[in-house]
Amino acid sequence: MKRVLCLLPLLAACGVQAPPAPLVGDLLSAPTALNVRGQVVTLDTTSAAGTGGFGVKVRLNAAREPLPALRLDGVFVVSGGGLWKSPLAAQGAEGSAWGRGAPGVQPGEPVQVVVRLRDVQGRVLWLRDDESRVGTAP
């Protein structure tokens, strides 16, 4: 049993590391539309800030159904005060995230929302919404 326990830290160190967070400039240069298998995919977002924290909802759109097979993998919000990132609770083409610690994000502030997507081959794609304003959270 002691031999197995001694190997556990080594096995844990061999795990797959998450990719490093993208730079703000990379996020701001993400496209506002993607052509995936002949369909143009865009992003709609809604964000809100209040005393309880900051949240964002995202939705992928395409001109025709069904949407291409894309998985929402994370959300990044660029504001004048910095960068907020979060995993998404996603179901199909819609996802949401809520949390605290959004640097300087206030209701009425313009932000850029960018999502990280994965296609069926596991490749990472980036998609950005046009600039939007933060709403007021209840």
Side-chain angles (χ1 to χ4, degrees), residues 35-121:
N35 187 330
V36 181
R37 295 190 176 145
Q39 284 203 62
V40 176
V41 178
T42 58
L43 179 67
D44 285 335
T45 64
T46 305
S47 59
T51 56
F54 175 75
V56 64
K57 290 183 180 181
V58 299
R59 178 186 157 123
L60 298 175
N61 297 306
R64 62 182 197 271
E65 296 290 331
L67 281 167
L70 296 169
R71 181 172 54 93
L72 289 162
D73 189 45
V75 64
F76 299 79
V77 178
V78 180
S79 70
L83 175 65
W84 183 82
K85 62 182 178 176
S86 177
L88 282 167
Q91 185 169 5
E94 296 184 13
S96 63
W98 184 261
R100 298 190 184 276
V105 178
Q106 300 294 322
E109 179 181 358
V111 294
Q112 292 277 288
V113 179
V114 182
V115 292
R116 181 176 52 218
L117 306 165
R118 297 213 184 249
D119 67 8
V120 292
Q121 288 83 27

